[in-house]
Amino acid sequence: NAGVMQNPRHLVRRRGQEARLRCSPMKGHSHVYWYRQLPEEGLKFMVYLQKENIIDESGMPKERFSAEFPKEGPSILRIQQVVRGDSAAYFCASSRAVLAALQETQYFGPGTRLLVL
Amino acid sequence: DQQVKQNSPSLSVQEGRISILNCDYTNSMFDYFLWYKKYPAEGPTFLISISSIKDKNEDGRFTVFLNKSAKHLSLHIVPSQPGDSAVYFCAAPVKSGAGSYQLTFGKGTKLSVIP
């Protein structure tokens, strides 16, 4: 019973390049959440997606960041023209049902650590 | 603005003793709280939760206490074990404009259990 999978685990990019982070939710989960953790900070919500739909992107920076969760394949968090301030750990979580039921638990992946040189 | 606050960045406890991790919140509308545990290079894992209709929830060595009037909750680990050494995050679901919930996290407390 595989958990949430993220790849790559580590990603190094130079300023101005693009970063693509992938997340495969747990089997049977159709809700995906992306969080970012800056050094010495807690996790900050970025975006919530269901298959082919962005439900809530209130935590996403307005520029350079985008996310998708296609019908087939993993969810992708894309960062264009990366800057040093994008260096962080990016975590993906999935849940079986929408987190409208407060008790529904989110299961987290191991994260992708992005370093921008 | 930080709606969930963990004011102690770190805590050291002797093996076998009690660990107490604290969390304060500002939003009186919160009615559910979760604790996550995180090891280095891994994602957070759910540990224990509590609904606002309760003031205590216990699961083995882990107990969470909720004081609604003080907007404060705490996680007690008894007895503490070296394997409990990790970062502990307090979190609460926040309703978004889209009608769903997202989690808001505290900054975490790094617990070190000394053998």
Side-chain angles (χ1 to χ4, degrees):
Chain A
N1 185 16
V4 179
M5 298 175 68
Q6 290 188 249
N7 67 82
R9 294 291 301 272
H10 300 272
L11 183 61
V12 179
R13 284 288 178 266
R14 296 194 180 278
R15 280 179 297 168
Q17 292 184 320
E18 179 180 287
R20 280 186 180 236
L21 289 65
R22 286 175 289 277
C23 168
S24 296
M26 282 181 70
K27 188 175 181 180
H29 287 193
S30 58
H31 301 263
V32 166
Y33 312 79
W34 285 94
Y35 292 83
R36 175 166 66 175
Q37 184 184 22
L38 295 169
E40 310 301 324
E41 296 285 324
L43 283 74
K44 294 281 196 313
F45 168 79
M46 299 181 75
V47 62
Y48 160 43
L49 310 103
Q50 295 177 26
K51 284 284 187 183
E52 299 185 279
N53 285 304
I54 297 174
I55 306 302
D56 181 356
E57 55 182 348
S58 58
M60 285 274 272
K62 293 288 185 278
E63 297 176 349
R64 301 189 297 107
F65 284 72
S66 62
E68 63 176 12
F69 189 14
K71 189 177 179 182
E72 301 291 337
S75 175
I76 307 279
L77 179 67
R78 182 181 176 207
I79 312 172
Q80 295 178 292
Q81 298 172 2
V82 294
V83 300
R84 288 212 174 109
D86 296 333
S87 296
Y90 291 83
F91 292 96
C92 166
S94 72
S95 66
R96 182 173 49 88
V98 64
L99 205 64
L102 295 178
Q103 294 82 353
E104 185 63 35
T105 301
Q106 291 186 4
Y107 296 86
F108 284 82
T112 293
R113 278 137 191 92
L114 172 65
L115 175 62
V116 179
L117 301 176
Chain B
D1 62 332
Q2 196 80 15
Q3 297 189 70
V4 175
K5 299 178 183 178
Q6 294 177 258
N7 293 319
S8 298
S10 62
L11 174 67
S12 288
V13 171
Q14 205 72 29
E15 181 179 3
R17 307 293 290 268
I18 184 171
S19 295
I20 300 176
L21 297 99
N22 294 304
C23 177
D24 297 294
Y25 60 96
T26 57
N27 190 340
S28 57
M29 298 299 291
F30 286 160
D31 50 12
Y32 196 75
F33 301 91
L34 307 93
W35 284 93
Y36 279 82
K37 176 180 178 179
K38 184 182 179 303
Y39 292 118
E42 294 185 13
T45 54
F46 171 74
L47 187 60
I48 192 169
S49 62
I50 189 166
S51 165
S52 62
I53 62 173
K54 296 185 175 181
D55 55 18
K56 176 183 172 181
N57 187 27
E58 190 172 351
D59 183 1
R61 295 186 298 114
F62 302 90
T63 303
V64 57
F65 295 92
L66 176 61
N67 182 335
K68 285 189 70 178
S69 60
K71 296 196 186 75
H72 177 84
L73 62 156
S74 59
L75 174 68
H76 293 213
I77 307 173
V78 179
S80 301
Q81 300 173 354
D84 296 330
S85 297
V87 178
Y88 290 79
F89 291 98
C90 176
V94 175
K95 196 159 190 179
S96 72
S100 61
Y101 287 89
Q102 45 162 286
L103 292 176
T104 185
F105 286 83
K107 292 188 177 183
T109 296
K110 183 177 181 180
L111 173 65
S112 300
V113 179
I114 304 161

